[in-house]
Amino acid sequence: MPDRESHEDPSQHESRETDAERRRRRAQFLRELTEARELRDRAQPRRAKAARLRHAMRMRTFRW
């Protein structure tokens, strides 16, 4: 069997992504996540209302 270390991954030699690139990708992901949640809430208004009520109850009972 060939040892795994002899076949190095070429992506390891590339430079690490910069913080700006990571933040940009994260911001894009969060925008898409928010959009998906809004779409789900519009498609399932009863479930969205129940989720809002549960969240409100959690916030009322949360101790700072």
Side-chain angles (χ1 to χ4, degrees):
M1 286 183 78
D3 58 335
R4 295 174 186 251
E5 294 179 14
S6 64
H7 301 290
E8 293 181 6
D9 187 13
S11 64
Q12 290 177 352
H13 296 294
E14 296 175 5
S15 62
R16 302 274 303 168
E17 65 179 349
T18 64
D19 286 342
E21 290 170 344
R22 187 183 61 80
R23 284 193 301 268
R24 194 176 308 113
R25 283 193 311 113
R26 183 175 186 272
Q28 177 67 28
F29 169 77
L30 293 175
R31 280 193 300 271
E32 291 174 357
L33 182 62
T34 302
E35 182 182 347
R37 285 182 177 150
E38 290 171 356
L39 177 62
R40 184 186 61 200
D41 291 349
R42 284 195 306 271
Q44 301 174 339
R46 187 180 298 171
R47 185 174 292 178
K49 181 179 179 183
R52 278 195 309 274
L53 292 173
R54 281 193 306 273
H55 183 260
M57 182 62 73
R58 279 197 310 270
M59 294 309 289
R60 278 196 299 270
T61 60
F62 183 77
R63 292 187 182 257
W64 297 99

